[in-house]
Structures are given as C-alpha cells and as structure tokens.
Amino acid sequence: MILVIIISVREKIMLSRALGSGWGVLLPGAVVGGLMFADLSIDVWKALIVSGLLVTSGMIWHKQLRHYVLLPSCVALVSGMLVILMSLK
C-alpha cells in the first residue's frame, strides 16, 4: 500500500526505477538458473560468489558502472542461496 502511494506521489519516475531494479534481479537470476543445469561443484559456486562480490566492490568505485552494481551482487546472492540449498542435501 505504501509503495502505491509513493508511486502515485512521484508519478512515473518511481515506477521506472522499480522496474529497473526488477531487471537487475531477474537477469542474474536467469543466468544462475541456467548454470544450475550445468551440474557445477560447490567449489565452482563458491568461486562464482567470490568473483561476484569482487566485481561488485570494483563497480561501486567506477563512475559509469555503478549504475549496474546490482547485476554482480545478485549473482553472488543467488549463488549463495544455491550453495546453501546444495549443502542441505
């Protein structure tokens, strides 16, 4: 309900930002979802998490790339969730 009020107050600018954030989460989720079918080991998934975190920290300091910092951080997040699920088996 609060999100609807914020969108109506700020009009379409807030709505486009919310959709942009949605793409920043859905695209890495789809990539990692495709990698799930490759049957990678836990060590490879951990390396993917570390590389996602390192790329995220590097992108924060870059002037133009900081707008896309959500992509590698979501790759690291989704990969971390997969490692947790794999270790629960």
Side-chain angles (χ1 to χ4, degrees):
M1 182 67 180
I2 294 173
L3 184 61
V4 174
I5 294 170
I6 292 172
I7 289 173
S8 64
V9 169
R10 294 202 175 198
E11 298 180 15
K12 295 182 181 180
I13 296 171
M14 188 68 183
L15 183 62
S16 67
R17 287 184 185 167
L19 290 176
S21 297
W23 282 112
V25 174
L26 290 176
L27 185 64
V31 168
V32 172
L35 286 174
M36 280 184 1
F37 294 109
D39 197 31
L40 301 174
S41 68
I42 291 182
D43 293 331
V44 174
W45 284 109
K46 288 180 182 179
L48 189 64
I49 293 168
V50 170
S51 64
L53 291 173
L54 289 173
V55 169
T56 299
S57 64
M59 287 175 73
I60 287 174
W61 298 107
H62 196 273
K63 186 176 182 179
Q64 294 172 339
L65 291 179
R66 74 173 58 147
H67 302 291
Y68 304 104
V69 75
L70 195 59
L71 295 171
S73 63
C74 284
V75 167
L77 176 70
V78 174
S79 299
M81 289 190 290
L82 283 173
V83 167
I84 291 171
L85 288 174
M86 289 171 68
S87 65
L88 288 177
K89 286 184 178 181

